[in-house]
């Protein structure tokens, strides 16, 4: 069904005053004497500005507009702007997290009165909620960005945003917010232990991440049409990647070992995703049928038709891939019986014996940095700066000790 085009507010007569008026976002904008050329020109100008501002407020700064009245149009803007491939990005969840204490504490406060002290109160509410320092700084940055947007659309005077710039981010060791542990590479033995507990599709994705350092999202959207397989090294150009909105390109070299992993999953349909949950489910069904001893009843031959909601997707998502690894970790590393009844010890055990897909990228970064240097790691990981690569690659303490032994 085609979507209905939003209606443009009309030019109207305001009978008590005899002026032309147009109502935008629930507020009347008076345009001058009704029927005059000047009022029609004012209408055209006002509508053009309103549409250019994504149907947000136009005109002079609104006296008395509250923080909640700023947040409503900003969220409409954010839901349109922060989208990728037609789906909302994770930024929407971050914005919602930042807005929650802002609206609770100052929703009815005039937006023009939101200053540095109130920003600090919102920040403290985020800290009290148990968020780590890094996440708190991200959230306050989003609050600041909301008011920058409000200045752009003339909801508040520029002085509001300038005042919020004076509030610095929380510093490590100088605040009460918790610190997060840096992401570490996962030991290979913990990765190899999962092979019996995942599908061959998921295991291929894991192996490709270890061999190429690709992000999860880049492996999961791999298709035959994205691969150039003419040379010794295959070239993979993801149809979408993390930094494409900055105008950056991403081409990933696929070596012989990774090629052998990919080959069994190549399909005649070049537009089809190589790694599909539907294929994994079908493989599982075939294996079960081979082991079955009794005759299959007609009603049980294709259960997917009975409940379309249970039909597997055409490709793995980052969430489904992460969940597959989490379930495999629980099976590969069951909690010992002697600590199973102690929630604290059982939780510590699970944390020590579980890992997530992004750690495989850190494994790759550490290995490449150790063998070929940080610049090679930067290029292969697709980073624009070596500083970012340093966060991914663990320092080779053995090499450090060898250098100190020689020079010290």
């Amino acid at each position: 069904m085609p979507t209905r085009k939003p209606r443009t507010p009309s030019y109207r007569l305001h009978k008590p005053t005899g002026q032309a008026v147009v109502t935008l976002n629930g507020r009347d904008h008076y345009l001058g004497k009704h029927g005059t050329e000047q009022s029609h020109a004012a209408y055209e100008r006002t509508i053009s500005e309103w549409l250019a501002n994504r149907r947000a407020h136009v005109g002079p700064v609104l006296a008395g507009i509250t923080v909640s009245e700023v947040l409503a149009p900003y969220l409409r803007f954010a839901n349109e702007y922060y989208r990728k491939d037609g789906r909302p990005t994770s930024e929407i969840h971050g914005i919602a997290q930042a807005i929650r204490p802002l609206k609770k504490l100052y929703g009815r406060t005039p937006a023009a009165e939101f200053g540095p002290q109130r920003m600090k109160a919102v920040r403290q509410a985020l800290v009290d909620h148990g968020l780590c320092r890094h996440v708190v700084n991200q959230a306050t940055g989003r609050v600041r960005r909301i008011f920058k947007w409000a200045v752009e659309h003339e909801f508040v005077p520029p002085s509001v945003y300038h005042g919020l710039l004076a509030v610095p981010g929380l510093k490590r060791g100088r605040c009460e917010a918790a610190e997060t542990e840096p992401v570490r590479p996962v030991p290979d033995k913990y990765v190899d232990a999962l092979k019996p507990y995942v599908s061959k599709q998921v295991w291929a994705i894991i192996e490709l991440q270890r061999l190429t350092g690709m992000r999860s999202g880049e492996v999961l959207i791999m298709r035959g049409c994205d691969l150039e397989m003419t040379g010794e090294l295959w070239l993979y150009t993801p149809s979408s990647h993390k930094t494409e909105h900055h105008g950056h390109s991403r081409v990933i070299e696929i070596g012989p070992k990774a090629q052998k992993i990919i080959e069994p999953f190549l399909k005649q349909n070049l537009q089809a995703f190589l790694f599909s949950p539907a294929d994994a489910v079908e493989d599982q069904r075939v294996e079960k049928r081979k082991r079955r001893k009794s005759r299959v009843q007609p009603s049980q031959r294709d259960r997917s038709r009975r409940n379309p909601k249970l039909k597997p997707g055409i490709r793995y998502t980052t969430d489904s891939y992460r969940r597959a690894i989490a379930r495999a970790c629980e099976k590969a590393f069951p909690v010992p019986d002697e600590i199973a009844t102690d929630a604290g010890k059982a939780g510590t055990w699970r944390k020590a014996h579980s890992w997530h897909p992004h750690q495989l990228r850190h494994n790759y970064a550490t290995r490449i940095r150790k063998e070929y240097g940080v610049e090679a790691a930067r290029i292969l990981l697709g980073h624009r700066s070596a500083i970012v690569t340093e966060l991914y690659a663990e320092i080779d303490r053995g090499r450090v000790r060898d250098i100190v032994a020689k020079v010290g």
Side-chain angles (χ1 to χ4, degrees):
M1 183 176 179
T3 57
R4 187 176 178 181
K5 187 177 180 180
R7 185 181 66 85
T8 301
S10 60
Y11 173 96
R12 308 190 324 275
L13 169 65
H14 186 252
K15 292 183 180 179
T17 62
Q19 292 194 72
V21 65
V22 61
T23 303
L24 305 176
N25 304 114
R27 294 179 180 271
D28 291 335
H29 293 255
Y30 294 97
L31 309 168
K33 187 176 180 180
H34 185 268
T36 62
E37 184 179 341
Q38 291 82 359
S39 66
H40 281 287
Y43 170 76
E44 295 294 337
R45 182 175 61 253
T46 303
I47 290 296
S48 297
E49 293 175 358
W50 182 66
L51 293 174
N53 286 334
R54 297 175 181 263
R55 297 177 177 263
H57 159 73
V58 295
V61 172
L62 296 174
I65 185 172
T66 65
V67 170
S68 289
E69 289 175 314
V70 169
L71 293 178
Y74 177 79
L75 285 174
R76 288 196 295 270
F77 155 77
N79 282 318
E80 289 183 18
Y81 185 78
Y82 295 106
R83 300 185 77 83
K84 194 170 186 177
D85 300 328
R87 301 175 62 184
T89 67
S90 59
E91 181 65 17
I92 296 297
H93 301 291
I95 291 172
Q97 184 182 59
I99 281 177
R100 207 168 290 122
L102 174 64
K103 189 174 182 179
K104 181 179 179 181
L105 294 175
Y106 298 110
R108 298 183 179 181
T109 302
E113 297 178 11
F114 188 82
Q117 292 301 322
R118 287 172 174 170
M119 173 71 120
K120 289 181 180 179
V122 170
R123 185 178 67 185
Q124 187 59 45
L126 292 165
V127 173
D128 294 341
H129 192 64
L131 300 180
C132 68
R133 181 181 63 86
H134 176 67
V135 174
V136 170
N137 284 341
Q138 283 184 327
T140 52
R142 290 183 176 110
V143 172
R144 197 178 291 115
R145 196 187 313 149
I146 291 171
F147 281 90
K148 181 180 179 181
W149 178 91
V151 170
E152 177 191 350
H153 292 83
E154 298 187 333
F155 282 105
V156 297
S159 58
V160 175
Y161 174 64
H162 293 157
L164 299 183
L165 291 175
V167 181
L170 297 175
K171 302 295 189 296
R172 179 185 291 271
R174 297 190 175 184
C175 64
E176 56 186 290
E179 291 290 345
T180 54
E181 296 181 3
V183 179
R184 303 292 186 190
V186 56
D188 284 334
K189 63 179 182 179
Y190 284 4
V191 179
D192 296 333
L194 266 58
K195 187 174 182 179
Y197 304 102
V198 296
S199 66
K200 67 179 183 182
Q201 287 80 6
V202 171
W203 183 248
I205 297 168
I206 290 172
E207 287 286 81
L208 281 176
Q209 278 199 278
R210 282 208 287 188
L211 289 171
T212 65
M214 281 189 278
R215 300 179 180 94
S216 299
E218 293 169 342
V219 186
L220 300 176
I221 61 173
M222 187 179 288
R223 302 173 299 174
C225 62
D226 300 323
L227 291 166
E228 182 182 325
M229 300 179 284
T230 54
E232 181 181 353
L233 293 181
W234 292 359
L235 299 180
Y236 169 45
T237 305
S239 57
S240 178
H241 62 90
K242 183 178 180 180
T243 59
E244 64 180 329
H245 63 285
H246 292 301
H248 300 160
S249 59
R250 176 84 163 124
V251 178
I252 301 163
E253 291 82 4
I254 307 292
K257 294 180 181 178
Q259 291 172 19
K260 290 182 179 179
I261 295 172
I262 294 172
E263 282 175 348
F265 298 94
L266 293 173
K267 301 176 180 179
Q268 289 185 345
N269 180 6
L270 298 181
Q271 297 291 331
F273 295 105
L274 301 191
F275 308 109
S276 167
D279 294 341
V281 170
E282 185 58 32
D283 291 344
Q284 187 180 42
R285 286 175 181 164
V286 170
E287 186 62 30
K288 286 183 177 180
R289 293 277 167 83
K290 288 180 179 178
R291 297 197 303 264
R292 188 181 180 117
K293 296 180 180 180
S294 60
R295 185 178 178 181
V296 180
Q297 299 299 319
S299 63
Q300 302 296 314
R301 286 174 185 167
D302 190 357
R303 296 187 180 186
S304 62
R305 294 181 182 178
R306 297 169 59 188
N307 189 350
K309 293 182 179 180
L310 298 178
K311 189 175 181 180
I314 58 173
R315 73 170 181 88
Y316 289 93
T317 65
T318 51
D319 286 338
S320 62
Y321 174 43
R322 175 183 51 78
R323 288 194 298 268
I325 289 179
R327 288 193 295 266
C329 285
E330 291 180 0
K331 294 177 181 177
F333 309 108
V335 178
D337 294 338
E338 57 268 22
I339 63 172
T341 56
D342 189 321
K345 291 181 179 180
T348 301
W349 171 273
R350 292 191 185 97
K351 185 176 180 181
H353 294 81
S354 63
W355 53 273
H356 54 82
H358 197 60
Q359 287 180 264
L360 297 175
R361 188 164 160 84
H362 289 254
N363 283 40
Y364 179 81
T366 299
R367 179 164 61 88
I368 296 299
R369 183 183 188 276
K370 176 181 179 180
E371 297 179 12
Y372 304 102
V374 69
E375 183 61 16
R378 181 191 69 79
I379 295 171
L380 291 171
L381 289 169
H383 292 155
R384 311 300 292 184
S385 168
I387 296 175
V388 179
T389 306
E390 292 285 358
L391 299 176
Y392 279 77
E394 284 282 284
I395 296 175
D396 180 12
R397 302 308 304 179
R399 177 177 291 187
V400 171
R401 286 192 292 270
D402 291 343
I403 294 172
V404 172
K406 292 178 181 179
V407 303

